Structure formats: structure tokens, C-alpha cells
Amino acid sequence: MGIWVVNGFTVNALDERVKRHFFIEDGKIAKVLEADGAAPDTAGHTVIDAAGKLVAPGFIDMHVHLREPGFEHKETIATGTRSAARGGFTTVACMPNTRPVIDTPETVRYILDKAAEAGGVRVLPYGSITKNELGRELTDFAALKEAGVVGFTDDGVGVQSAQMMKDAMALAHSMDMPIIAHCEDNTLVEGAPVTDGAFARKHGLKGIPNESEAIHVGRDALLAEATGVHYHVCHVSTEMSVRLIRLAKQNGVRITAEVCPHHLLLSDEDIPGLDANWKMNPPLRTPRDVQAVIEGLEDGTIDIIVTDHAPHSEEEKEKGMMLAPFGILGFETAFPLLYSKFVATGKWTLGFLVERMTAKPAQVFGLPYGTLEVGSAADLTVVDLDTPREVLKEEIVSKSKNTPFIGWQLQGWPVATIASGNIVWS
């Protein structure tokens, strides 16, 4: 028995819409039919009627925190992947700042086994650049690659030593693997919970300066040029970083970059008070930075959209701006937020948004996903673009609830998610 997804429409990068039927069998897209002829024979198969709805390739999120092993009170691989499925994601790449850190083949296998147990959404683990993410000694890149990692990163902390980063890049390049960098100079950020801007001054808080991110972006772009590695910049948030990435691309450096919905939507001037659900790293920057990252995404300087889904317990977030951990949820609101803010208002085409969350991340990381062609993996997301719904805390599937978007009215909600031919959300 297969699955028919009928009467929905697809959209391409040029925003051309075509009504289509899809037949899914054995984890693959087996048939794609134009929906202007006779209705297909669906007898004996599961049917999803997507009439009037978008059918997109399953969304791909190349920057997530599933917290397991070690922080299961925040999230588990099972709850995290279910949250991802609700948000329309079919492939997620999990960061290694767990306990233990993903720095051995054994931990990689643990992640992959847990993901298989959970079923549904595909989980691609990253391996850490340095042992225990301490920045002192490189991990065994070859063993981690063989175990199944898709790249190397010390996300959560920046690699402080330029020599260590250069050595990592040279080694990764020799294996045709990417380096994914959390860009942050620790000497500039200690004890600061928010960006160096209007909110910090109003509340007498130490601010995180923009150059703390940009210094590493500039340094690493030069190291990437020297080594030839594919270098990918995590969660770009500042005008300075956008400028440096643009320059590096113009000079032929193999550099790609990502941005999160919250850095496209919010500035530090939107923070309503000392609620740590607005505390994230990188922090919400100034309105000028928000405009710069929007323009960077639009002109291709920034390649893809990620969520940086970072769950924390309510008890942790209740410790206040200074003591609470950095991070907000991302999976379940990403597409509705961006659709409502940019597509429904006419600023972006629907095709542009879909491409930056599907085909483009697959292209950047060389993944065989992100398309709706016959023979491709049956990863599909059906989206209701019209029905507005409120973000309700009690409806969040993630184990944690730390998001500043509670109460927002949004459109563009995923209503069915199919991953590897299985219905994982409906």
C-alpha cells in the first residue's frame, strides 16, 4: 500500500505554481502527475487531499539541538524529531554540544540508533571539531566521518585558537568535509546576556558587541581561503558578518552561511522586558543588523535558513536574563513566521522561501533531498497557507516551551509531513 497526496500545488524558485498529484511507495516518490486530467486511481492506498494547499519538499534544518544525550530534561531525540515533524521538517542536523559531546564514533552511533528508534524525521549528526569542545585537541575526524557525521563544528563555543581552526580546516578539506563555525570571540562576551544596544543600556546590562561574531567570521574566511575547505557560518546576526561573507564570496572563498527566523524578524528593541525567553546566542541585534541579514539572504550572501532549535526547561529560563541559558525553540514556528512576515506581505515570493528551506540546504551540504522528482526520497510537507492560527503554549510538541512567539497569529502552518515515505505528522 502506498500514499497518494492529491490536488495540492507545488511552487518553484520562480514562484510558478502547478497543481499535482504524488504517489509514494517504498520510501520514494513513485509518480508525479499533473492534476489537470482524470483523477488518479487511489483505491487501496492512503490518501491525503491537499486541495488548495502547498506541497513542498520536506524542510531541511541544518542547525538544531536535540539535547540527547545528557540533557533529556530539555528535549530528547524522540520529542525533538516529533517537534520537527510538526514544523514540516523531514531532515535535521544535530549539534554536538551534548553530554557526552559527539566526539567519538560511539556517541554518533548512539544518536543514529535513537533516531531510528524514534522513527520519522531523518537525523544527521555533526561531530565536534575538538575533544569535549574544549578547543585543545582535534577529534578523530576520520573515525567520526566513518561513523556517519555530516560535518565538524564546536557549536555552542567558538574555536578560539586560529591555529586549531586552521588545522581543523586543513584536515576537513583533505576528507572533503565541511567546517561549520559558531563565530564568537569569548574575550568580548563574558558576562553579557544581550546585544550591545538600546535594550542593554536601558536595563544596565553588559552588551555583546557585534565584533565578537564578525572577528571570527573574518579570521575564518581567511583560513578557509588558505586551506580550501568548505566553511559554513552558523546563525549570522550582524551587518559586519554579512559584509565579510559577501567580500569572501566575491574573492572565491568556499564560504556559505545560514540565518535563523528570529534574527530576520526581531531586534533588541522588540524585547519587552527581562524575560529570558528572549535570550539567545547570537542575541537579537539592532534594527540595522536585522535589515542587513534580510538583505544578505535576499542577495544570496546568506544561503539558507535554519532554526537553531534550542530547547530549555521552564525552570532554567525562569532564572532571569543574567543566569538563564541562551536559546529559543525553532521547529514549530519557523515556516509560519517567515511566511506571515515576508511572503503574505509580498516582500518575498513563496518559491524563494521554500527554496531556502529545502533545495538550497541540500545543495550547500551535498544531500540527496529537497526535491519532488520521481525517484527522490519521499519527503513532503503539506502546508495550509490560508488559515491563521495562534501560537499556543499548550500545543507545542517540544518538551520545552521557551519561545518569545507565544500569542502570535500566523499563517502557513504545516498540516501533514511525510518523511522517507512515512506520515510523521498529520
Side-chain angles (χ1 to χ4, degrees), residues 41-241:
D41 179 8
T42 60
H45 300 292
T46 300
V47 178
I48 295 175
D49 188 356
K53 296 179 177 66
L54 168 70
V55 179
F59 304 150
I60 298 170
D61 191 347
M62 294 305 295
H63 189 138
V64 317
H65 298 269
L66 298 178
R67 300 303 189 202
E68 188 178 5
F71 301 106
E72 288 84 354
H73 65 287
K74 303 172 190 275
E75 192 81 283
T76 65
I77 290 168
T79 61
T81 52
R82 183 148 176 79
S83 177
R86 188 191 180 216
F89 292 95
T90 55
T91 300
V92 301
C94 62
M95 290 297 173
N97 57 337
T98 49
R99 288 293 177 271
V101 167
I102 307 176
D103 60 3
T104 65
E106 291 74 24
T107 312
V108 176
R109 285 192 283 272
Y110 175 88
I111 301 286
L112 294 173
D113 288 347
K114 280 286 184 178
E117 229 176 81
V121 172
R122 185 180 298 107
V123 176
L124 309 175
Y126 288 117
S128 63
I129 293 172
T130 65
K131 291 182 179 179
N132 212 29
E133 291 198 332
L134 293 173
R136 295 175 190 153
E137 186 183 354
L138 292 181
T139 56
D140 186 339
F141 280 23
L144 289 170
K145 179 181 179 180
E146 189 178 345
V149 304
V150 293
F152 303 103
T153 178
D154 273 7
D155 185 63
V157 284
V159 175
Q160 300 302 300
S161 161
Q163 185 64 59
M164 184 67 67
M165 183 55 106
K166 187 175 183 181
D167 291 345
M169 287 182 171
L171 184 55
H173 177 54
S174 73
M175 299 175 175
D176 195 26
M177 293 287 277
I179 290 287
I180 297 91
H182 174 110
C183 292
E184 188 171 41
D185 185 307
N186 289 351
T187 63
L188 293 169
V189 302
E190 198 172 335
V194 294
T195 205
D196 186 9
F199 182 85
R201 289 190 294 273
K202 178 181 175 183
H203 293 278
L205 298 170
K206 181 182 177 183
I208 299 172
N210 284 11
E211 55 269 24
S212 64
E213 174 180 286
I215 283 170
H216 271 207
V217 173
R219 177 200 76 175
D220 291 352
L222 293 170
L223 297 177
E225 183 175 29
T227 59
V229 76
H230 171 201
Y231 168 63
H232 181 78
V233 186
C234 288
H235 40 48
V236 174
S237 68
T238 75
E239 181 274 334
M240 290 177 181
S241 297

Side-chain angles (χ1 to χ4, degrees), residues 168-354:
M169 287 182 171
L171 184 55
H173 177 54
S174 73
M175 299 175 175
D176 195 26
M177 293 287 277
I179 290 287
I180 297 91
H182 174 110
C183 292
E184 188 171 41
D185 185 307
N186 289 351
T187 63
L188 293 169
V189 302
E190 198 172 335
V194 294
T195 205
D196 186 9
F199 182 85
R201 289 190 294 273
K202 178 181 175 183
H203 293 278
L205 298 170
K206 181 182 177 183
I208 299 172
N210 284 11
E211 55 269 24
S212 64
E213 174 180 286
I215 283 170
H216 271 207
V217 173
R219 177 200 76 175
D220 291 352
L222 293 170
L223 297 177
E225 183 175 29
T227 59
V229 76
H230 171 201
Y231 168 63
H232 181 78
V233 186
C234 288
H235 40 48
V236 174
S237 68
T238 75
E239 181 274 334
M240 290 177 181
S241 297
V242 174
R243 198 175 352 130
L244 290 165
I245 295 163
R246 188 177 286 126
L247 180 63
K249 285 193 169 190
Q250 288 167 358
N251 288 327
V253 180
R254 286 182 67 197
I255 185 170
T256 56
E258 65 189 35
V259 66
C260 306
H262 43 275
H263 291 126
L264 294 163
L265 287 158
L266 300 169
S267 79
D268 67 322
E269 295 181 10
D270 295 308
I271 305 174
L274 295 170
D275 177 356
N277 284 319
W278 293 73
K279 180 182 179 181
M280 60 213 71
N281 191 11
L284 298 176
R285 304 287 188 177
T286 69
R288 178 185 174 190
D289 294 305
V290 174
Q291 190 54 39
V293 294
I294 291 170
E295 289 171 5
L297 183 66
E298 290 171 348
D299 71 17
T301 300
I302 297 172
D303 301 86
I304 65 172
I305 295 165
V306 301
T307 69
D308 194 9
H309 176 81
H312 294 292
S313 71
E314 289 192 65
E315 294 73 24
E316 289 168 315
K317 280 296 190 179
E318 283 168 0
K319 292 178 180 177
M321 273 290 185
M322 286 304 299
L323 298 178
F326 292 96
I328 67 170
L329 300 181
F331 287 143
E332 298 174 46
T333 55
F335 191 87
L337 281 167
L338 295 171
Y339 179 82
S340 300
K341 169 72 174 182
F342 294 105
V343 180
T345 57
K347 292 183 177 72
W348 295 348
T349 65
L350 177 59
F352 175 85
L353 175 58
V354 169

